[in-house]
Amino acid sequence: MNTIDIRLKEADLQILKSVIGEPLENIEHDEFIFTNTSSQVVRFNINGEQIYLYSFTEPLDYYGSIEDVAVWSVEKTEYPLVAEKGFIKMPIQQTITSITLVQENQQMYDHGEQTYDVWVTRGIIIDFGDHQLSFEKPVWFSEDIIIRKGYDLLNAFKPVADITNAENWNEGIELKCNRIIEIL
């Protein structure tokens, strides 16, 4: 059985935990053209510090073939691509009360035998008490980060049923997906 884990790492989680209770002044992202997405990076300005959510592809096993798979990280390092961005600022001016991680465990079965056990961070939800800000990884291959502002944003995430839909897989292949919600 193949095991793949592209969840946020412990160093990423420590950065996220460190900003709970801090004021989020604004975020910076690509201009929204057709959808509320930013490609590869979102910058957070939190209490005078800058933190980055990155989504970069790397070649990984994608259920039997090597594909460019988007992997998320949370860092304090600004990579050169950020300077090339035409970021727009979204003012927030709210204190972060909690952060929720949306994790998924995807299990592939080939004629009843488990062949893959995959873990992925599907998204991050920042809670301000009376509203939320979410960041979602829409699909494995995309470096886009979907950004939403509002209420009960977990309900806006891509449904698990879309991932496990049997029409997406060859005969005899079954994909099960469990979504795990972790509050930091």
Side-chain angles (χ1 to χ4, degrees):
M1 179 175 60
N2 297 303
T3 301
I4 299 168
D5 189 345
I6 57 171
R7 288 176 289 185
L8 292 173
K9 305 299 180 232
E10 187 58 35
D12 305 309
L13 300 181
Q14 290 306 316
I15 292 171
L16 289 174
K17 288 176 183 177
S18 75
V19 301
I20 296 171
E22 299 293 333
L24 175 55
E25 295 144 16
N26 61 63
I27 65 169
E28 297 177 66
H29 54 77
D30 291 333
E31 182 179 0
F32 295 159
I33 305 296
F34 299 108
T35 59
N36 293 356
T37 60
S38 189
S39 178
Q40 298 182 306
V41 62
V42 175
R43 178 169 38 209
F44 300 82
N45 294 297
I46 302 173
N47 200 23
E49 261 194 293
Q50 294 181 327
I51 294 170
Y52 302 87
L53 171 61
Y54 289 111
S55 181
F56 293 134
T57 57
E58 46 187 86
L60 292 171
D61 180 348
Y62 177 71
Y63 298 112
S65 63
I66 300 299
E67 301 284 348
D68 285 337
V69 175
V71 178
W72 278 17
S73 66
V74 176
E75 303 180 35
K76 293 184 178 183
T77 303
E78 180 175 306
Y79 294 115
L81 78 100
V82 174
E84 299 170 8
K85 292 284 193 174
F87 275 156
I88 61 168
K89 283 187 181 182
M90 176 193 298
I92 306 293
Q93 302 299 327
Q94 297 284 313
T95 298
I96 299 169
T97 59
S98 68
I99 297 176
T100 301
L101 300 180
V102 181
Q103 312 279 31
E104 287 180 356
N105 178 229
Q106 301 173 0
Q107 301 171 353
M108 179 177 271
Y109 294 83
D110 187 350
H111 295 90
E113 180 183 340
Q114 187 174 359
T115 54
Y116 281 88
D117 187 31
V118 177
W119 288 91
V120 61
T121 298
R122 173 67 60 191
I124 299 169
I125 301 173
I126 298 175
D127 197 291
F128 302 105
D130 61 349
H131 65 283
Q132 299 174 322
L133 187 60
S134 73
F135 306 88
E136 180 183 3
K137 177 181 179 177
V139 294
W140 274 83
F141 313 106
S142 177
E143 293 176 313
D144 285 346
I145 301 167
I146 299 173
I147 302 169
R148 294 184 187 94
K149 198 174 175 182
Y151 311 93
D152 299 319
L153 293 178
L154 180 59
N155 294 327
F157 277 56
K158 180 178 187 173
V160 169
D162 287 0
I163 300 163
T164 59
N165 186 344
E167 293 175 9
N168 297 331
W169 305 100
N170 293 333
E171 187 175 330
I173 302 295
E174 179 185 13
L175 189 71
K176 295 180 181 178
C177 180
N178 295 309
R179 189 165 278 169
I180 297 103
I181 308 307
E182 296 179 17
I183 299 174
L184 300 181

